[in-house]
Amino acid sequence: MTRRTEWPDGPGRPERPDRPDSGAPSLSRAEQGPPPGPEEQARAICLRLLTGTPRTRKQLADALRTRGIPDDAAQEVLSRFEGVGLIDDAAFAEAWVESRHHSRGLARRALARELRTKGVDSALIDEAVGQLDADQEERTARELVERKLRATRGLDREKRIRRLAGMLARKGYSEGLALRVVRRALEEEGEDPDLLERHLPDL
């Protein structure tokens, strides 16, 4: 008859050691190699930030500065990334304009303001927002008003005009364009042009 071994922490269960012992000594810090230098750190940070999300050179420079990377090392890495196309502010600006105009209906003025906050050069901003001409802006403004029109029904005329025009203004459309688009939409809905005229000049 086989005798069951009694283990210290319970029958049939071996005691777990406090620390795993692989039988090999752990590597000292010297044996693991020197810590990464600032350029290597900057490269790793940039690659991580660029994974799945394009960023401007300024955004990456700000991130490296926040993490304590010296400016000379940061600029060296950023220039290297630009050289191989991993940083491309022109492409970033074009994609930003395309995406934000179609998804949010933002006008050129609002798009330019957003790109400035991301550190894009003025010449690149002008080139990117130049993708949108006046006709495209007006078409988008009309679509925005048409989607919002139903929600304003039941309001008095002046409040309705202000709400629709204000929505376009927040998206960067000029006052003249906003009022023209709102007036046309309300007239097509059946509003009296003469009654609209009484409110529009005051906006």
Side-chain angles (χ1 to χ4, degrees):
M1 179 175 174
T2 304
R3 182 181 178 185
R4 186 173 61 181
T5 303
E6 298 293 333
W7 298 98
D9 62 345
R13 296 176 60 188
E15 179 183 8
R16 291 188 174 184
D18 293 335
R19 290 178 298 182
D21 186 2
S22 62
S26 61
L27 294 175
S28 67
R29 180 170 297 180
E31 291 172 321
Q32 291 174 356
E39 287 190 12
E40 188 176 345
Q41 292 178 51
R43 180 178 178 276
I45 292 168
C46 288
L47 287 174
R48 185 168 65 252
L49 291 175
L50 287 168
T51 301
T53 306
R55 297 176 192 266
T56 66
R57 178 169 179 143
K58 181 180 184 301
Q59 287 178 304
L60 292 171
D62 290 345
L64 294 177
R65 190 175 301 111
T66 299
R67 289 162 173 79
I69 303 297
D71 283 345
D72 56 345
Q75 295 307 316
E76 173 67 25
V77 170
L78 293 173
S79 295
R80 198 180 308 152
F81 274 42
E82 275 188 327
V84 298
L86 290 175
I87 301 174
D88 188 337
D89 282 4
F92 177 95
E94 290 176 7
W96 186 269
V97 168
E98 175 74 14
S99 171
R100 298 285 282 175
H101 179 73
H102 289 291
S103 66
R104 298 286 304 280
L106 298 184
R108 287 175 290 185
R109 184 167 57 182
L111 292 165
R113 184 168 58 246
E114 289 187 341
L115 288 171
R116 278 195 297 271
T117 66
K118 296 183 180 300
V120 179
D121 182 77
S122 296
L124 296 180
I125 292 175
D126 291 343
E127 186 177 343
V129 299
Q131 299 176 69
L132 302 175
D133 57 25
D135 291 339
Q136 176 62 52
E137 268 198 334
E138 184 160 347
R139 285 195 298 272
T140 302
R142 292 185 66 181
E143 292 171 2
L144 290 169
V145 169
E146 287 169 4
R147 291 203 294 266
K148 186 78 172 177
L149 206 58
R150 181 178 298 178
T152 65
R153 288 173 186 162
L155 299 176
D156 65 67
R157 186 178 295 108
E158 183 175 356
K159 184 176 291 186
R160 198 176 189 200
I161 292 170
R162 288 182 182 277
R163 184 163 296 183
L164 293 169
M167 177 267 296
L168 291 179
R170 288 190 296 275
K171 291 182 178 292
Y173 293 89
S174 67
E175 182 182 50
L177 173 60
L179 295 179
R180 184 170 68 250
V181 168
V182 170
R183 177 173 185 162
R184 181 183 302 171
L186 293 176
E187 286 180 355
E188 290 175 353
E189 196 183 50
E191 286 277 6
D192 187 332
D194 293 332
L195 294 176
L196 290 173
E197 187 67 30
R198 297 178 187 178
H199 299 284
L200 289 171
D202 297 328
L203 294 174

